[in-house]
Amino acid sequence: MSYMKTTLTGYAAYRGREGHWAFLLHRITGLGVVLFLAIHIVDTSFVYFAPQLYVDVINVYRSTIFGLGEIALVFCLFFHGVNGLRIAYLDLFAPKDWTIDKTRRSMLVALGISLVLWVPSAGWMLFNLLRHNYGLFGG
Amino acid sequence: MSATTTSQPERVRVRKNFDQVAWTWMRYSAVLLIPLAWFHLVLQDVVVGVHKITTDYAIERMANMGWKIYDILLLGFAFAHGMNGVRQVFRDYIHNPKTFRAVSILLLIFWAVITAVGAVALLSINPAAQ
Amino acid sequence: MEIKLRVFRFNPEKDAKPHFDTFIMDVDPNDRVLDLLEYVKADFDSTLALRRSCAHGVCGSDAMRINGRNYLACKVLVKNLKSDTITVEPLLGLRVIKDLIVDMGPFFENFRSVLPYLINDDPLPADGRERLQSPEQRERFEDTTKCILCAACTTSCPSFWADERYVGPAAIVNAHRFIFDSRDTAAAKRLEILNQQIGVWRCRTAFNCTEACPRDIHITTAIAEVKKAINTGKLD
Amino acid sequence: MANIHQFDVIVVGGGGAGLMAALNASKTARTAVISKLYPVRSHTGAAQGGIGAALGNIEEDSPDWHTFDTVKGSDYLGDQDAIEFMCHEAVQAVLDLEHMGLPFTRTADGRIAQRPFGGHTNNVTGKPVRRSCYAADRTGHMILQTLYQQCIKNNTLFYDEFQVMDLLLVDGKAAGVVAVELATGELHVFHAKAVIFATGGHGRIWEITSNAYAYTGDGCAITARRGIPLEDMEFFQFHPTGIFKLGILITEAVRGEGGILFNAKGERFMEKYAPRIKDLASRDVISRAMYLETRAGNDVNGQRFFYLDVTPETVNKYADLDGRTRPDGTPYHVTAAEIMSKIPDIADFCLTYLGVDPTRQPIPVQPTAHYAMGGIPTDKYGRVVVDEKNTVLPGLYAAGEVACVSVHGANRLGTNSLVDLVVFGKHAGLDAAAYANGADFTPLPANPTELVDETIARFQNGSGKERVAKIGSELRAEMFDNVGVFRTQESLEHAVEKVKELRERYLQVKVTDSGKIFNMEMMQTWELGNMLDLALVTAVSALARTESRGGHARDDFPARDDVNWLKHTLAWMNGDQVTLGYKPVVITKYMPKERTY
Ligand SMILES: Cc1cc2nc3c(=O)[nH]c(=O)nc-3n(C[C@H](O)[C@H](O)[C@H](O)COP(=O)(O)OP(=O)(O)OC[C@H]3O[C@@H](n4cnc5c(N)ncnc54)[C@H](O)[C@@H]3O)c2cc1C
Ligand code: HEM
Ligand code: SF4
Ligand code: F3S
Ligand code: FES
């Protein structure tokens, strides 16, 4: 796996800019979401195959750790989605806009939009989490 | 208008390639996934919240015909999109063609099994029968 | 100004592992990084090995990683780096042979694989003169004719680090140069080559290539145009 | 024992001349190219302005005018038969390049675009003519890339990063070369029927230079060591517009597009020195004018530089004054965008290295060592000739900047080097292949690597009392000050002594890198030896020539002297001893006249 090594040292040793971060984040968020999705499909299907287990699963999901993971998941899907649209748009409709200025800016805009979407959602989810799991805010 | 001796054909035919189809698929499915995945996520995780989700809630939702179609679409597109993404990532790092073939087949089986499990559950749920 | 220059060193005949040598030197902010390396050879350690020739960014010999990014050492001035520590390392993704010299073999192999030459077996104009081409047709591929094959792009590409069989941005740039040349007849062949799994689809638009290109070629645009041409079959 | 390879034709050098030779030789003979740089790194890629050919795409022109301009530009020292041959072949050569795919800039009707260039004129009106065919300001880059692409297409065999260190001559015939493979340090012997040297120039022996680090004159030095004379080495061109201090070239095309030179007083000083074509005078004329201006105290800040101004305001103002028009007769007016599109790379250099935007500010420039008119003497088929009677040395060829045909005489016209490369590169290749097909291999000498082994051993066993970098910088400074734009008896004598002293000290250097793999220190030490040889030949040849002609300007002998000096210098090296001889200039149609612009 010497290539793996170059790749990892590459990521560590190369100071890429916005485009590189976008690529890395897109990949990491995509993999994160797909991992979650695989589990999620299986656990949801317990509703049909093993309703008893489903109750346990839901309880696990309600734990604080999973709660936080869920907040991260929401970010992943927001960023992956916005950035994915950015990539798809440029690739399919505006190849000429793959310029340094526009790429840097569009990446930052994508990140900005994801954060704008995520922060209120995360706040709300955190609020619910604290309310249910720690009895705060009169939960 | 200036004179030219253009040799180039207007259009060329390029044989299709799997990676090309996959690339295009990733982009078009992405557009569909925005409403599908985002709405699902926002609804279940943010608006409703995991603390309100119960077996009954799940069954009720999955039994609704509109939701059934929605979920089937989501399952089909999102998981296929994601699994092809995983395949692409593996393709970058696995150089031995045999190993990559084997991994691809495993991924394909994984994808088929999970999708089948999800689809069976979704299609079969029917509150009257429970 | 005084700067600290850290240089990657590896002597295959002596060292088991690479290390860094550090030189403290007084330099002019307008000095090129290549000048600093020449100072090292002149005043500190004449065994330092690197490639260089033109010293003004047109021959493509001295692409290397400077403070973590690919540049031509002769085209980046000390003042541009905005740092008083300068770290110089060889390109990533190619085998290091000695000090800053890497094995360019795979890079040129990839370049060769995309038929980087005019293909046109049609008879020449009857008067023996030039094939005509309008300024607009000429402009269509102007950008990608500028490539000097320095490899700064390809060796900054995460897809290439992962797999050196990926033809890489430089090869695609050079294919683009001919695909969109109105005098060429083999666009279909090149597109077919780039439509393989080691071709354009490996590009994940990470954009390091375009950031690194010392000739300011819009590489990612060129790649996107090739992808589009493969998908649509249109060469406009 | 070294590795031995056998080929019909060996081409040493992968620049424009080398690749052109290889493409043509490989049509009929087994050919390989040996180059110390990857071919695409060759200096041909740096050429900016264009390649001259009387295509007449924009206005009336003829190869005969091109011939006369070249003869006149050469200050009548060029051989007129060769010049005529070259200027007539140029047209086909440029069309050939286009057919190979070279992306020339185009005119509105789709033809190869052409622009004016220093010294190229309409012979009837005396006005500048548009003769330089160009691809933006990177014509050389496009030529090099196009030729390399064609080599890939033809599967030409390359030995990249192999540095040739010796030429093997047996019984007065070429037998091959010895090269070191940089990646391994191994010696390789290339046994060949014909050897073509296309190793480029030696401008690195001057301090301010437009030339690449690789321009250390390997080809000339190798052949000189084997007893072959060097021709006209005193003629070296100083280009008037190098970027201040760095020497990076600002192409003449900038003046072709309307750029104007100013001194510290804001005067357009070329009006004084070339009243007719002013800023488009020949290079030697302008460099000399700059020297005279400096002596008169008109240089900027007393730092020996001047301003080259291509801002649209200046260009338009002076175009009006000069009555310059476009081909359709409208006044010549430009915009910043238009200038940028014609000289994008130059603009980039100015921004990168000076922080100057040439469409807004003037560029500080000074003369920079640029081009070797002299070199290995050849005839117009690239065959190396070794004496006053032009006796051919069988199997040995030279083409490109390393060769002296002589088409550039005492001063090369802009755009003519690229013409030289393609025309004589091609003919050297064709002739070498034809020769090889009719000849047998000359047997190799018993120990082909003897000289190279000795040299390497000397480097390894030197006392180490002297350092390469030090000797090199002293050499460059000495040459720039004393064998530069202007020369005198005194300065040249000083230089000869100094170079001899440096040669003495050079024997003391030691290569500290004891490895074999990419021992760049070893190669640079060897290259310094080449430069010392060529510096000596240059200074000795210049000292003997008591006249001013083209690139050779003597303060103490300011006039051209056709009675005594209308002849080519031949210089033989034997250790520190340089023996001079002379051979006549070939004059066919154009009798020497006073040269005014
Ligand atoms: C900045 C600049 C701008 C110019 N602009 C113009 C212009 O506009 N028009 C014009 O006509 N001319 C121009 N010239 C001049 C012209 O570019 C050169 O004279 C010409 O390119 C020389 O070509 P060449 O093939 O002889 O040598 P090069 O292209 O330099 O090739 C030399 C080759 O020899 C190889 N080599 C050298 N030594 C060895 C060795 N010991 N062993 C093996 N290989 C070796 C090198 O690797 C290289 O491949 C310009 C020159 C410069 C420097
Ligand atoms: C929300 C809408 C989504 C959009 C707009 C989107 C968009 C994209 C696009 C355009 C790509 C291709 C990237 C490239 O080739 O450079 C991609 C890759 C990927 N996507 Fe998505 N996607 C979305 C949702 C998802 C979901 C739900 C998952 C998980 C199941 C997912 C997992 C992946 C993975 C794993 C990759 C591969 C990443 C890589 O190659 O680096 N995506 N996505
Ligand atoms: S595209 Fe740019 S970075 Fe890549 S090889 Fe060419 S010049 Fe270098
Ligand atoms: S860095 Fe690589 S992924 Fe594409 S945009 Fe450039 S080739
Ligand atoms: S030395 Fe030629 S590009 Fe830097």
Side-chain angles (χ1 to χ4, degrees):
Chain A
M1 285 310 269
S2 69
Y3 291 96
M4 198 69 182
K5 223 175 102 202
T6 355
T7 314
L8 293 177
T9 44
Y11 292 150
Y14 198 83
R15 276 193 324 134
R17 295 193 50 128
E18 289 83 345
H20 193 217
W21 309 332
F23 158 72
L24 278 178
L25 258 180
H26 194 79
R27 178 159 280 194
I28 293 165
T29 53
L31 291 175
V33 174
V34 80
L35 182 72
F36 170 81
L37 183 61
I39 299 170
H40 183 57
I41 294 172
V42 173
D43 66 49
T44 307
S45 68
F46 287 168
V47 174
Y48 175 70
F49 293 113
Q52 250 343 87
L53 267 177
Y54 187 68
V55 178
D56 297 340
V57 169
I58 285 290
N59 281 329
V60 175
Y61 275 115
R62 286 178 180 165
S63 67
T64 304
I65 287 282
F66 267 72
L68 293 175
E70 204 184 359
I71 294 178
L73 174 78
V74 171
F75 174 76
C76 287
L77 198 66
F78 277 144
F79 176 78
H80 187 93
V82 179
N83 190 54
L85 277 187
R86 177 184 77 101
I87 296 174
Y89 170 73
L90 288 169
D91 274 349
L92 296 172
F93 303 108
K96 291 247 178 319
D97 286 349
W98 278 116
T99 56
I100 292 198
D101 285 355
K102 288 191 177 158
T103 301
R104 285 184 191 161
R105 215 168 338 124
S106 63
M107 155 61 182
L108 293 177
V109 168
L111 190 64
I113 295 177
S114 328
L115 287 175
V116 166
L117 292 170
W118 178 64
V119 169
S121 315
W124 176 246
M125 288 166 80
L126 199 63
F127 170 75
N128 273 334
L129 182 76
L130 293 176
R131 201 159 61 117
H132 289 288
N133 287 15
Y134 299 95
L136 294 175
F137 314 116
Chain B
M1 186 47 215
S2 42
T4 60
T5 40
T6 304
S7 314
Q8 212 177 22
E10 279 275 298
R11 244 168 194 288
V12 292
R13 290 183 61 88
V14 187
R15 247 180 305 140
K16 285 261 175 287
N17 168 288
F18 183 72
D19 294 77
Q20 173 197 13
V21 177
W23 183 88
T24 314
W25 152 256
M26 289 304 269
R27 267 135 258 262
Y28 285 111
S29 63
V31 178
L32 258 171
L33 279 174
I34 287 283
L36 287 175
W38 278 13
F39 188 70
H40 175 84
L41 185 86
V42 171
L43 184 71
Q44 308 297 2
D45 294 56
V46 184
V47 179
V48 177
V50 67
H51 293 93
K52 294 215 189 87
I53 293 177
T54 58
T55 314
D56 288 345
Y57 171 87
I59 291 178
E60 201 176 314
R61 190 174 158 282
M62 286 158 78
N64 176 302
M65 206 48 197
W67 282 124
K68 230 192 232 308
I69 295 171
Y70 180 95
D71 285 348
I72 282 285
L73 281 176
L74 180 60
L75 172 70
F77 277 97
F79 199 56
H81 170 103
M83 285 309 284
N84 183 54
V86 172
R87 186 191 66 89
Q88 287 181 6
V89 175
F90 277 119
R91 157 145 293 174
D92 276 357
Y93 303 117
I94 298 176
H95 298 156
N96 185 322
K98 279 206 194 111
T99 319
F100 181 71
R101 247 191 108 71
V103 170
S104 302
I105 291 171
L106 286 180
L107 284 177
L108 188 70
I109 295 172
F110 183 70
W111 170 76
V113 168
I114 301 274
T115 306
V117 167
V120 168
L122 258 177
L123 294 175
S124 318
I125 284 189
N126 177 348
Q130 294 286 312
Chain C
M1 65 187 272
E2 192 178 273
I3 56 126
K4 193 158 109 188
L5 180 69
R6 292 175 68 239
V7 184
F8 178 100
R9 300 303 300 273
F10 175 65
N11 180 344
E13 289 158 288
K14 288 205 184 116
D15 307 339
K17 267 188 171 174
H19 63 276
F20 282 89
D21 278 348
T22 303
F23 308 96
I24 311 283
M25 51 172 82
D26 201 32
V27 302
D28 187 313
N30 284 317
D31 276 340
R32 300 165 269 206
V33 172
L34 179 62
D35 296 328
L36 309 193
L37 296 171
E38 289 295 319
Y39 299 155
V40 168
K41 291 208 297 184
D43 300 335
F44 297 93
D45 184 348
S46 47
T47 64
L48 176 64
L50 67 141
R51 296 189 177 103
R52 88 275 188 265
S53 187
C54 71
H56 65 288
V58 297
C59 76
S61 300
D62 58 345
M64 54 185 76
R65 205 156 23 113
I66 297 168
N67 284 358
R69 291 195 176 128
N70 285 356
Y71 295 94
L72 293 177
C74 63
K75 233 193 149 178
V76 56
L77 309 185
V78 171
K79 67 176 179 202
N80 302 145
L81 293 169
K82 300 188 174 61
S83 155
D84 46 19
T85 303
I86 297 178
T87 305
V88 182
E89 296 160 275
L91 296 173
L92 280 167
L94 295 170
R95 186 174 62 91
V96 175
I97 303 180
K98 180 176 178 182
D99 295 346
L100 299 170
I101 296 181
V102 295
D103 179 4
M104 296 289 285
F107 175 79
F108 279 104
E109 274 314 305
N110 285 341
F111 166 67
R112 283 167 170 266
S113 74
V114 299
L115 314 180
Y117 39 79
L118 189 85
I119 300 179
N120 186 339
D121 298 327
D122 297 349
L124 293 171
D127 57 1
R129 304 284 295 191
E130 62 266 53
R131 291 192 172 102
L132 299 180
Q133 181 170 55
S134 70
E136 300 75 48
Q137 289 174 325
R138 169 65 181 74
E139 187 56 31
R140 180 65 190 86
F141 61 99
E142 159 70 9
D143 201 40
T144 41
T145 61
K146 298 190 299 198
C147 175
I148 52 175
L149 296 172
C150 68
C153 54
T154 297
T155 58
S156 71
C157 173
S159 289
F160 182 76
W161 300 332
D163 186 349
E164 67 174 21
R165 290 172 309 174
Y166 167 42
V167 295
I172 302 173
V173 160
N174 283 281
H176 178 282
R177 180 246 169 278
F178 288 100
I179 291 170
F180 294 98
D181 187 332
S182 59
R183 300 168 297 169
D184 185 86
T185 54
K189 260 194 187 160
R190 289 190 199 93
L191 293 176
E192 207 111 286
I193 293 170
L194 292 174
N195 191 18
Q196 321 248 304
Q197 53 140 306
I198 51 160
V200 286
W201 312 116
R202 286 288 174 104
C203 167
R204 301 280 153 60
T205 57
F207 215 72
N208 284 352
C209 54
T210 310
E211 297 271 3
C213 178
R215 307 285 290 169
D216 298 334
I217 298 173
H218 299 298
I219 303 177
T220 313
T221 296
I223 298 175
E225 287 175 351
V226 172
K227 287 172 177 165
K228 204 169 169 189
I230 294 177
N231 282 333
T232 62
K234 279 198 285 198
L235 301 176
D236 49 4
Chain D
M1 187 58 211
N3 314 282
I4 297 187
H5 314 263
Q6 227 180 30
F7 291 96
D8 293 335
V9 178
I10 283 289
V11 180
V12 184
L19 296 180
M20 200 71 195
L23 279 172
N24 283 285
S26 59
K27 286 179 191 160
T28 55
R30 266 176 33 81
T31 305
V33 181
I34 309 177
S35 178
K36 70 174 175 181
L37 307 172
Y38 277 103
V40 286
R41 314 280 181 238
S42 302
H43 211 33
T44 297
Q48 304 163 348
I51 173 165
L55 298 179
N57 276 356
I58 297 195
E59 56 187 323
E60 191 194 353
D61 198 1
S62 98
D64 288 328
W65 292 356
H66 189 186
T67 305
F68 173 73
D69 289 338
T70 306
V71 170
K72 178 178 170 189
S74 79
D75 225 347
Y76 295 91
L77 194 74
D79 287 333
Q80 296 182 8
D81 56 339
I83 294 176
E84 192 168 345
F85 177 75
M86 176 179 86
C87 294
H88 282 82
E89 290 274 305
V91 175
Q92 191 56 46
V94 166
L95 294 174
D96 284 347
L97 288 172
E98 198 281 333
H99 297 154
M100 289 178 192
L102 199 141
F104 282 108
T105 300
R106 299 290 169 150
T107 64
D109 56 357
R111 302 209 165 267
I112 297 171
Q114 297 185 280
R115 63 178 161 206
F117 228 78
H120 292 277
T121 63
N122 175 316
N123 284 188
V124 179
T125 62
K127 287 237 173 108
V129 71
R130 296 177 183 80
R131 184 179 293 146
S132 162
C133 312
Y134 64 99
D137 54 357
R138 51 184 96 88
T139 316
H141 163 77
M142 300 298 194
I143 291 184
L144 186 63
Q145 295 285 333
T146 303
L147 294 176
Y148 186 61
Q149 290 156 3
Q150 289 298 310
C151 287
I152 291 181
K153 187 174 181 183
N154 290 345
N155 261 319
T156 307
L157 189 58
F158 284 102
Y159 289 88
D160 291 334
E161 303 199 309
F162 277 61
Q163 187 151 1
V164 170
M165 294 180 73
D166 194 15
L167 162 69
L168 301 173
L169 294 178
V170 177
D171 302 333
K173 284 199 232 165
V177 293
V178 181
V180 53
E181 178 179 6
L182 298 180
T184 60
E186 298 288 326
L187 292 185
H188 293 251
V189 175
F190 291 85
H191 189 192
K193 296 180 188 169
V195 174
I196 304 176
F197 272 86
T199 53
H202 54 265
R204 273 278 150 184
I205 64 183
W206 283 272
E207 186 178 331
I208 307 280
T209 178
S210 69
N211 283 191
Y213 277 107
Y215 258 26
T216 52
D218 300 1
C220 287
I222 290 170
T223 49
R225 247 170 248 144
R226 289 297 183 182
I228 290 157
L230 294 175
E231 182 176 343
D232 288 343
M233 292 294 279
E234 64 272 39
F235 296 103
F236 198 89
Q237 182 171 76
F238 287 80
H239 195 294
T241 57
I243 292 184
F244 177 50
K245 276 193 185 152
L246 293 169
I248 297 168
L249 193 79
I250 302 293
T251 168
E252 218 149 321
V254 169
R255 281 170 288 132
E257 300 299 343
I260 308 287
L261 288 162
F262 294 104
N263 63 18
K265 294 185 186 153
E267 291 167 346
R268 182 192 194 182
F269 60 89
M270 282 313 296
E271 266 170 351
K272 281 185 268 177
Y273 302 92
R276 236 172 337 129
I277 63 174
K278 305 181 183 105
D279 300 274
L280 279 173
S282 201
R283 293 173 182 173
D284 55 332
V285 174
I286 302 184
S287 289
R288 216 176 303 168
M290 285 181 168
Y291 176 83
L292 294 172
E293 287 290 303
T294 303
R295 235 178 26 180
N298 291 340
D299 52 334
V300 182
N301 301 338
Q303 286 181 292
R304 300 208 245 169
F305 72 89
F306 298 87
Y307 283 122
L308 173 59
D309 192 337
V310 261
T311 58
E313 300 79 53
T314 307
V315 170
N316 294 341
K317 177 176 157 201
Y318 285 90
D320 285 344
L321 283 176
D322 294 350
R324 185 169 172 187
T325 55
R326 295 201 181 264
D328 58 8
T330 54
Y332 183 82
H333 277 175
V334 294
T335 60
E338 207 173 324
I339 291 179
M340 281 302 271
S341 75
K342 296 277 179 59
I343 52 162
D345 281 10
I346 299 294
D348 183 44
F349 297 150
C350 293
L351 269 177
T352 306
Y353 298 109
L354 296 169
V356 164
D357 173 355
T359 61
R360 290 157 185 268
Q361 285 161 279
I363 312 164
V365 294
Q366 74 184 134
T368 182
H370 184 54
Y371 184 85
M373 270 76 73
I376 306 173
T378 70
D379 65 10
K380 65 183 181 193
Y381 303 109
R383 297 182 294 197
V384 173
V385 295
V386 293
D387 58 19
E388 293 89 340
K389 296 192 293 291
N390 288 330
T391 311
V392 170
L393 191 148
L396 188 60
Y397 293 77
E401 191 170 337
V402 72
C404 178
V405 184
S406 133
V407 284
H408 308 306
N411 171 61
R412 169 176 74 83
L413 278 196
T415 78
N416 268 359
S417 164
L418 294 176
V419 182
D420 172 349
L421 306 185
V422 288
V423 170
F424 296 109
K426 170 175 165 187
H427 285 282
L430 290 175
D431 203 272
Y435 167 83
N437 287 329
D440 289 328
F441 280 99
T442 309
L444 287 172
N447 181 2
T449 61
E450 190 176 1
L451 185 67
V452 176
D453 291 333
E454 267 173 39
T455 311
I456 292 178
R458 198 182 76 222
F459 292 152
Q460 279 162 346
N461 303 326
S463 70
K465 276 193 232 130
E466 292 287 346
R467 306 232 330 285
V468 169
K470 182 95 182 21
I471 298 179
S473 61
E474 285 184 39
L475 173 71
R476 287 187 286 273
E478 178 70 20
M479 291 299 284
F480 199 70
D481 291 341
N482 291 327
V483 198
V485 177
F486 257 88
R487 305 154 176 195
T488 62
Q489 169 110 14
E490 202 190 346
S491 77
L492 292 168
E493 277 169 352
H494 188 276
V496 171
E497 282 320 302
K498 177 75 187 186
V499 174
K500 284 190 173 159
E501 174 210 317
L502 292 174
R503 289 165 62 84
E504 207 46 50
R505 285 165 52 190
Y506 173 69
L507 297 176
Q508 305 288 323
V509 301
K510 177 182 172 70
V511 173
T512 52
D513 188 344
S514 55
K516 287 178 79 91
I517 297 175
F518 276 106
N519 190 335
M520 300 311 260
E521 186 186 0
M522 173 86 77
M523 294 332 295
Q524 279 154 27
T525 306
W526 179 73
E527 288 170 346
L528 177 63
N530 298 340
M531 292 196 280
L532 286 165
D533 285 358
L534 300 185
L536 186 65
V537 175
T538 305
V540 171
S541 306
L543 181 57
R545 188 175 280 270
T546 51
E547 65 158 350
S548 289
R549 184 189 294 271
H552 173 67
R554 294 273 304 245
D555 240 358
D556 40 2
F557 296 94
R560 196 173 85 194
D561 175 359
D562 287 335
V563 178
N564 296 306
W565 287 106
L566 188 58
K567 57 187 181 187
H568 297 292
T569 307
L570 290 178
W572 284 266
M573 284 225 45
N574 192 351
D576 257 359
Q577 220 46 51
V578 179
T579 317
L580 298 180
Y582 294 91
K583 69 177 184 184
V585 173
V586 179
I587 294 180
T588 55
K589 290 190 196 149
Y590 308 101
M591 293 317 282
K593 281 195 290 199
E594 205 200 332
R595 186 162 154 254
T596 55
Y597 283 104

